Amino acid sequence: MLPKYLAADAVKEFSGTKVDVIHYPDLGHYPMLELPGETARDLRAWLDRTVTK
């Protein structure tokens, strides 16, 4: 979890792979506690695309 203004620099550090950036406005340090439904949905979508069965 990073502040939005650091996202572009963080993505540059992972130049050898695809990076998904998701912005949840007006959240603190614990998005999974503050927006459990949205963060779980986004994690599930990422896992479905990433994990081979």
Side-chain angles (χ1 to χ4, degrees):
M1 306 300 160
L2 297 169
K4 187 177 178 181
Y5 72 91
L6 293 175
D9 289 336
V11 169
K12 289 177 191 173
E13 295 296 320
F14 296 92
S15 61
T17 191
K18 181 183 182 300
V19 176
D20 295 320
V21 176
I22 300 172
H23 175 67
Y24 301 106
D26 302 320
L27 287 183
H29 294 287
Y30 301 101
M32 65 294 284
L33 297 177
E34 297 174 43
L35 285 177
E38 289 182 43
T39 55
R41 180 197 65 221
D42 293 337
L43 175 59
R44 176 82 271 165
W46 180 81
L47 288 170
D48 288 345
R49 289 191 317 270
T50 306
V51 177
T52 58
K53 297 177 181 178

